[in-house]
Amino acid sequence: MLAGVQKLSGAAMVLSVLASIASAQGAPTGPAGPMEVGVIEARLEEVPRSASLPGRAVAFQEVEVRPRVGGVIEEVLYTPGDQLAVGDPLFRIDDSAYLAAEASARADLAKARANLPVAQSAYDRAEGLSGRGYTEAEVEEARASLAEAEATLEAAQAALDYAQTELSWATVTSPIEGRPDVSTVSVGDLVTAGQSDELTTIVRSDPIYVDMVETSARILSFRKGADEGSLTPNEDLEATLTLENGDVYRGTGTLVTPGNLVSTTTGTVTVRFQFDNPHHIVIPGMFLRSEIVIGTMQAYLVPQRAATRANSGQLTAFIVGEDGNAKQVTLTDEGSYRNAWIVREGLSEGDQLIVDGLSSLQAGQAVTPVAATIDSDGNVQDSVSGDTSGAED
């Protein structure tokens, strides 16, 4: 009898210990109530429609300097990297031969000028005495001699002009404004007119071009939206730049050309914008990321933390249904703006979009909505959990 009592007492003790553990762990004693979730109200608004494109900086002007006359380099007249104006001297070529050629041409011009009055007098005399000592043939000969003297004078003047031009080419000058590269020749090197090797390269990078690449499919999508009226295009397109280190470049670019050809290998179109670059921060050849505001459209902005994209590409989110339960909806997006998806279909004006408390939420679950706000960084403020860190639920 005592053994039976002892066995019963041991079982009771085990049950008592298990009950204590369950109580300490907060085991539910009844059905759970509705789950509190943070919500925002879905509102149609004017949303900028933008495109983020890769780009590459291209010099506004770039020229390879070559000599127009041959000779020995006598002096390098510039410092690499210094800003040049149009006409600034770069190299001086030995001009002895060109000085001699100019002197010879000048002498020929003086001779031609001296011969012209003689020919003119001979013609005037022959014409005045025509039929009285001068035959018609002699008059014609005097006229031809005068014409030849005039032509010789013009040829001598042209030869002098060209000799002076060649002499001026002995000093190689900058054809554009920009910054020169290091010289490929030094004093004493022999150069020839029109040689294939450049003496130096000059690059103008203020302003600067940025060539951006966009797919032809997206361009067609933008045009379709404009034709259908869902997209209001901007008349004057502007672009912003993000540098390779992540810094946003100050200033906006203006459209130069929208591109007229589609690459047969990549299916893309090159769009060129022009940016002011007074401090030469953007260097030709640099790869950049650009943002172009194409226009505006009426859409809903859904915080990216409030939506989930499946492997199939389908975008879903939760709203509070009319029955007070969580309802999963499928969204049709048109890209993103800042920290939000641009949604055109799947929501209605005034829907309560659930943005917080999503970690354990399931469709059909009873919820209690609590108003929340989303800051510019995509973090939830005044939510049910009080979390403002922006961490995923």
Side-chain angles (χ1 to χ4, degrees), residues 72-77 89-95 170-172:
V72 175
I73 298 292
E74 289 194 334
E75 191 176 359
V76 178
L77 303 170
L90 301 172
F91 303 91
R92 186 165 61 85
I93 300 173
D94 180 18
D95 58 1
T171 299
V172 182

Side-chain angles (χ1 to χ4, degrees), residues 49-327:
R49 185 72 170 93
S50 61
S52 181
L53 309 177
R56 186 176 66 88
V58 179
F60 183 76
Q61 289 179 311
E62 182 176 354
V63 60
E64 295 178 345
V65 179
R66 292 180 173 83
R68 304 177 74 173
V69 293
V72 175
I73 298 292
E74 289 194 334
E75 191 176 359
V76 178
L77 303 170
Y78 75 96
T79 301
D82 283 355
Q83 184 68 27
L84 295 175
V86 176
D88 283 351
L90 301 172
F91 303 91
R92 186 165 61 85
I93 300 173
D94 180 18
D95 58 1
S96 302
Y98 305 105
L99 283 170
E102 190 227 6
S104 177
R106 192 180 299 277
D108 291 340
L109 177 62
K111 181 179 178 181
R113 283 174 176 169
N115 289 335
L116 181 60
V118 176
Q120 183 69 53
S121 298
Y123 170 69
D124 292 341
R125 185 169 54 255
E127 188 178 32
L129 298 175
S130 177
R132 294 179 297 163
Y134 281 87
T135 64
E136 188 66 27
E138 289 174 328
V139 173
E140 290 298 327
E141 184 179 355
R143 182 184 292 111
S145 297
L146 175 60
E148 183 179 355
E150 291 174 342
T152 301
L153 178 60
E154 292 180 1
Q157 182 64 60
L160 177 60
D161 291 343
Y162 184 70
Q164 290 174 334
T165 299
E166 280 196 315
L167 179 61
S168 69
W169 287 343
T171 299
V172 182
T173 60
S174 175
I176 64 171
E177 173 187 337
R179 296 175 182 268
D181 202 351
V182 296
S183 172
T184 62
V185 295
S186 59
V187 174
D189 285 345
L190 177 65
V191 297
T192 58
Q195 63 184 36
S196 59
D197 296 333
E198 70 276 8
L199 303 181
T200 188
T201 301
I202 302 175
V203 175
R204 181 180 177 185
S205 56
D206 179 31
I208 195 165
Y209 292 135
V210 176
D211 288 347
M212 307 169 188
V213 179
E214 176 63 294
T215 63
S216 56
R218 289 189 67 185
I219 292 177
L220 290 175
S221 175
F222 294 146
R223 289 180 176 176
K224 181 179 179 181
D227 293 340
E228 294 177 347
S230 60
L231 174 67
T232 304
N234 290 336
E235 293 184 1
D236 298 321
L237 292 180
E238 292 186 344
T240 57
L241 290 180
T242 301
L243 305 179
E244 291 176 315
N245 61 355
D247 291 344
V248 177
Y249 182 74
R250 293 185 179 181
T252 57
T254 56
L255 180 66
V256 176
T257 172
N260 301 312
L261 294 174
V262 178
S263 171
T264 56
T265 56
T266 61
T268 58
V269 177
T270 299
V271 182
R272 172 166 287 188
F273 278 77
Q274 178 178 315
F275 292 81
D276 290 333
N277 191 31
H279 303 295
H280 304 279
I281 295 175
V282 181
I283 304 172
M286 182 181 289
F287 287 94
L288 309 155
R289 172 65 60 175
S290 62
E291 191 80 15
I292 305 175
V293 179
I294 307 298
T296 58
M297 61 188 304
Q298 289 286 323
Y300 301 95
L301 286 179
V302 176
Q304 291 183 347
R305 62 178 288 125
T308 303
R309 190 177 293 279
N311 293 334
S312 61
Q314 190 178 65
L315 192 67
T316 60
F318 284 98
I319 63 172
V320 179
E322 296 181 356
D323 56 0
N325 297 334
K327 177 182 178 181

